[in-house]
Amino acid sequence: MTTAKPARKSTTAKAKAAAPARKAAAKPAQVEALLPNMTRDALGEVTETLEFMWSATQAVFGEKARPEHAISLLPYALDALEVRRLLAEDMAKQAKAAKSKS
């Protein structure tokens, strides 16, 4: 009794399925070549911030959460971050002034 060989069609399907993964792996190198480091870093920060806002929106609104909610809450989060940054700068200045007086 001989065993049947798998059809070539299934191996072709696997190769076709792997093709997008190969293209995706090549894209980061292309992006690095096209975008300056600061731009890539900024895009990464924007993406992380939007993902955070989406997670926060889902936590608050649950199943009713929509991407528009996250985008409309984004300015409030950015304002809060700016206030924290300003407070940290002010505290650093005060600490520096206190050290210089000592």
Side-chain angles (χ1 to χ4, degrees):
M1 179 175 209
T2 61
T3 57
K5 293 182 181 179
R8 289 187 63 80
K9 199 174 204 181
S10 65
T11 57
T12 305
K14 285 182 184 179
K16 285 182 182 178
R22 281 194 302 268
K23 285 181 183 177
K27 283 186 180 183
Q30 292 171 345
V31 170
E32 288 179 16
L34 296 175
L35 293 176
N37 289 336
M38 289 179 60
T39 305
R40 274 199 321 271
D41 293 345
L43 287 172
E45 288 182 26
V46 167
T47 302
E48 289 173 5
T49 304
L50 286 172
E51 286 175 351
F52 174 76
M53 292 310 299
W54 176 239
S55 297
T57 302
Q58 287 177 317
V60 172
F61 295 106
E63 296 281 326
K64 295 179 182 178
R66 299 186 50 100
E68 296 85 25
H69 297 143
I71 292 170
S72 58
L73 290 174
L74 183 61
Y76 298 107
L78 295 178
D79 288 345
L81 288 172
E82 181 66 12
V83 168
R84 285 187 177 186
R85 185 187 68 77
L86 292 172
L87 286 173
E89 283 180 6
D90 189 45
M91 289 177 66
K93 286 179 186 176
Q94 289 177 2
K96 187 176 180 181
K99 271 189 175 181
S100 66
K101 287 182 180 180
S102 299

